[in-house]
Amino acid sequence: ETGVTQTPRHLVMGMTNKKSLKCEQHLGHNAMYWYKQSAKKPLELMFVYNFKEQTENNSVPSRFSPECPNSSHLFLHLHTLQPEDSALYLCASSQASGRNTQYFGPGTRLTVL
Amino acid sequence: EDKVVQSPLSLVVHEGDTVTLNCSYEVTNFRSLLWYKQEKKAPTFLFMLTSSGIEKKSGRLSSILDKKELSSILNITATQTGDSAIYLCAVEEGTSYDKVIFGPGTSLSVIP
């Protein structure tokens, strides 16, 4: 069990649905990250927030919309997704962005029908 | 284009064997190299390497970075079935923005 939690753990949604993934860290960290892990592909960094400010958007389509209301919470809002967006979405946090160890949550397994 | 390559992509060994996993990278502004172990879902952190030639150890696992060769190795001695996992190599790079590039991973299976 890590200090980073994610909900839901599994999500099935249609292409017209709107849903949100939630991440919460209890480690007192200031940086939070969203990653996507697709089958047979390397882990991809999607977004980075440092002290609630977005510092990285790794060419992610606009159907993924992150929100970081405070240093402990991170959301990923999903709308009009495609089947190829089905993947494991991992959240991580670190003391600050850059040269710090990242701690990962358990992930949300997303299936888009 | 920045990239991280790992080899082999998969490996099957017997308990007690020693394995060496390789990672090489091409990035513009290298900051550090990270090794993770992924079982079932979330990766767990193993090592962060920033300086060349300094070995980091944790039990039966050790890792070293060679900045000249743009590579790193992860060694596991006396392997156990619990070592079966995907081992991910990642490189942090960048100046003002964070960027982490992950390799494809090495899938290690340790059989009794």
Side-chain angles (χ1 to χ4, degrees):
Chain A
E1 190 65 39
T2 69
V4 181
T5 58
Q6 289 185 243
T7 54
R9 299 290 298 272
H10 300 271
L11 178 62
V12 180
M13 59 188 288
M15 291 192 284
T16 57
N17 292 157
K18 286 185 180 181
K19 297 285 184 183
S20 295
L21 309 185
K22 180 182 174 184
C23 176
E24 185 174 358
Q25 58 94 1
H26 313 275
L27 301 167
H29 289 165
N30 295 303
M32 297 187 78
Y33 311 77
W34 277 118
Y35 288 87
K36 175 184 178 183
Q37 181 151 45
S38 305
K40 300 179 182 178
K41 281 188 174 182
L43 197 59
E44 300 169 58
L45 178 65
M46 298 174 73
F47 301 105
V48 180
Y49 277 83
N50 197 32
F51 292 92
K52 301 187 296 177
E53 297 297 319
Q54 185 175 309
T55 59
E56 177 78 15
N57 176 338
N58 220 9
S59 303
V60 181
S62 59
R63 57 186 184 271
F64 295 92
S65 173
E67 179 191 359
C68 188
N70 54 61
S71 293
S72 299
H73 294 86
L74 185 65
F75 295 90
L76 187 63
H77 303 300
L78 317 170
H79 64 98
T80 58
L81 294 192
Q82 306 296 312
E84 58 264 29
D85 296 322
S86 299
L88 179 69
Y89 288 85
L90 291 164
C91 172
S93 72
S94 66
Q95 188 62 42
S97 64
R99 298 161 62 107
N100 287 279
T101 305
Q102 293 181 34
Y103 295 83
F104 284 80
T108 294
R109 172 66 64 187
L110 173 67
T111 302
V112 181
L113 301 177
Chain B
E1 184 186 342
D2 296 332
K3 63 179 180 182
V4 177
V5 177
Q6 290 185 247
S7 64
L9 292 181
S10 66
L11 187 58
V12 181
V13 300
H14 287 96
E15 268 192 313
D17 288 351
T18 294
V19 296
T20 298
L21 310 184
N22 301 285
C23 176
S24 62
Y25 60 90
E26 291 178 29
V27 298
T28 310
N29 295 295
F30 175 87
R31 294 170 81 173
S32 65
L33 186 142
L34 310 162
W35 282 100
Y36 289 92
K37 177 183 181 182
Q38 184 168 19
E39 300 170 275
K40 297 180 184 178
K41 282 194 176 179
T44 52
F45 173 79
L46 294 175
F47 300 110
M48 173 186 276
L49 304 161
T50 54
S51 301
S52 220
I54 298 176
E55 185 182 51
K56 293 220 172 172
K57 289 198 72 156
S58 177
R60 295 177 292 103
L61 276 67
S62 63
S63 184
I64 195 162
L65 175 67
D66 186 338
K67 280 187 175 178
K68 193 174 176 183
E69 296 296 326
L70 307 182
S71 65
S72 173
I73 59 171
L74 175 67
N75 279 319
I76 309 174
T77 59
T79 52
Q80 302 171 358
T81 54
D83 295 326
S84 297
I86 295 173
Y87 290 83
L88 293 167
C89 174
V91 172
E92 284 187 311
E93 74 95 26
T95 51
S96 57
Y97 293 109
D98 300 293
K99 191 171 180 182
V100 181
I101 306 129
F102 281 80
T106 292
S107 177
L108 175 66
S109 297
V110 182
I111 55 179

